[in-house]
Amino acid sequence: MGRDEASVKVREWIETTTRLVVDKPDDVRVEEVLSPDSGTSYFSVYCAYDDIGKIIGREGSNINSIRKLAAAMCLTHYKRRCEVTCHDPKRTDRGHR
């Protein structure tokens, strides 16, 4: 499986998983940026403002689970690292971590 195909599979998994948690699944969007140096994929999750808390979960439990599973999937199957961030649509300077 090539790098592009692996990226698509992980991105689709993150998108599908987050859509199951939120009230407005049509507003969920996942973007990926691949670091050319390190081979790390950076996934950004965008959603409706009202759904951010659902993606993050209590004390970050949901987003941390998504991060761990995505990281395991990337390392196990595609031999690369990944990071997942949930962005607040009202703030453009940085996402939640």
Side-chain angles (χ1 to χ4, degrees):
M1 184 176 300
R3 286 184 94 77
D4 293 334
E5 200 175 328
S7 297
V8 170
K9 288 199 178 280
V10 174
R11 186 187 59 75
E12 286 175 351
W13 179 85
I14 293 169
E15 192 170 300
T16 302
T17 303
T18 54
R19 284 178 185 226
L20 293 171
V21 177
V22 299
D23 290 332
K24 300 175 186 169
D26 293 336
D27 291 346
V28 173
R29 185 179 88 244
V30 178
E31 294 179 358
E32 180 199 13
V33 175
L34 178 62
S35 171
D37 309 359
S38 63
T40 301
S41 294
Y42 297 94
F43 294 96
S44 299
V45 179
Y46 297 91
C47 65
Y49 181 74
D50 297 340
D51 288 333
I52 292 172
K54 291 183 171 124
I55 292 177
I56 294 172
R58 186 168 293 172
E59 296 181 11
S61 61
N62 292 347
I63 193 67
N64 286 334
S65 297
I66 291 169
R67 285 180 181 137
K68 288 177 184 177
L69 291 170
M73 187 184 324
C74 284
L75 282 175
T76 303
H77 298 290
Y78 312 121
K79 308 298 185 235
R80 80 163 98 167
R81 297 174 50 107
C82 77
E83 292 186 19
V84 180
T85 311
C86 182
H87 288 274
D88 184 340
K90 292 188 176 182
R91 295 182 65 184
T92 57
D93 58 338
R94 66 186 187 112
H96 295 283
R97 187 80 179 138

